[in-house]
Amino acid sequence: MLALQIDEVKTFMNRLLAGSAFDTFLFVEGALQMGFGYEFDGHLNRDFYTEDELAGIDEEETYISYSQVRPVLFSLIRGKRTPLSFRLTLQLKESQAQALLSSVSSAASVKGLLLNIRYDGQKVFLTSGVNYSAFSFDKAPERAWDTWLTEFIKSLSL
């Protein structure tokens, strides 16, 4: 498990909410505390979408793409007053996770590669996680995910 504190909060927030850096992730869940609280469930409600819209979504995906959630979050957060806090849980898309873990022997037991983002009103904290379908002593998926995530964060020039 990787735990990071982001020093460049304004730059990170810009990348997270106004840029497309995290658009390749899926949105699992989130919470936002402002004048009142918001709770978000990222499960994809397929009945809401038209056939054309569903054509662009992988049938295997359980969660909505972060690129679809980002404008909503941005509209809620932007303004003169910053939120009291928020937390987001993102997951790497299945196809990317499989490519990342292709050389890991225990990859079959991995259900998802998670990124938890927490803002406490002043600082941003990132925590990695791996969701397993079965217990495993093998930490190779976690090491591979932490390495990839470290490089991803560096690429954001924070």
Side-chain angles (χ1 to χ4, degrees):
M1 181 176 85
L2 179 68
L4 301 171
Q5 178 180 323
I6 302 297
D7 294 325
E8 298 293 329
V9 174
K10 189 172 183 174
T11 304
F12 179 81
M13 293 295 211
N14 187 42
R15 303 270 196 290
L16 179 67
L17 299 169
S20 60
F22 292 87
D23 285 359
T24 59
F25 286 85
L26 300 172
F27 180 79
V28 177
E29 65 177 8
L32 172 63
Q33 295 300 316
M34 295 179 62
F36 58 94
Y38 298 88
E39 294 284 329
F40 303 99
D41 178 0
H43 281 92
L44 187 61
N45 294 317
R46 293 185 182 278
D47 294 336
F48 178 78
Y49 297 98
T50 66
E51 290 296 322
D52 290 340
E53 291 169 324
L54 285 173
I57 300 173
D58 186 354
E59 287 185 28
E60 303 277 325
E61 296 297 351
T62 305
Y63 301 107
I64 193 163
S65 173
Y66 180 70
S67 64
Q68 293 179 278
V69 175
R70 183 174 43 82
V72 175
L73 291 174
F74 182 71
S75 69
L76 290 171
I77 292 175
R78 77 174 191 192
K80 295 182 184 202
R81 298 180 69 176
T82 60
L84 296 172
S85 66
F86 72 77
R87 65 173 173 75
L88 304 174
T89 301
L90 305 179
Q91 179 176 303
L92 196 62
K93 288 186 178 179
E94 179 70 23
S95 58
Q96 291 177 295
Q98 286 178 353
L100 174 65
L101 300 175
S102 63
S103 64
V104 176
S105 62
S106 61
S109 67
V110 174
K111 286 178 55 178
L113 301 176
L114 304 172
L115 171 61
N116 295 298
I117 303 169
R118 185 173 55 89
Y119 173 69
D120 68 1
Q122 295 179 351
K123 298 175 184 169
V124 175
F125 302 93
L126 306 179
T127 309
S128 67
V130 176
N131 185 5
Y132 290 99
S133 59
F135 180 77
S136 174
F137 284 110
D138 185 11
K139 300 300 178 195
E142 292 174 34
R143 287 191 298 276
W145 174 229
D146 290 349
T147 300
W148 185 91
L149 197 54
T150 302
E151 293 301 315
F152 174 74
I153 298 302
K154 284 180 185 177
S155 74
L156 297 177
S157 302
L158 299 174

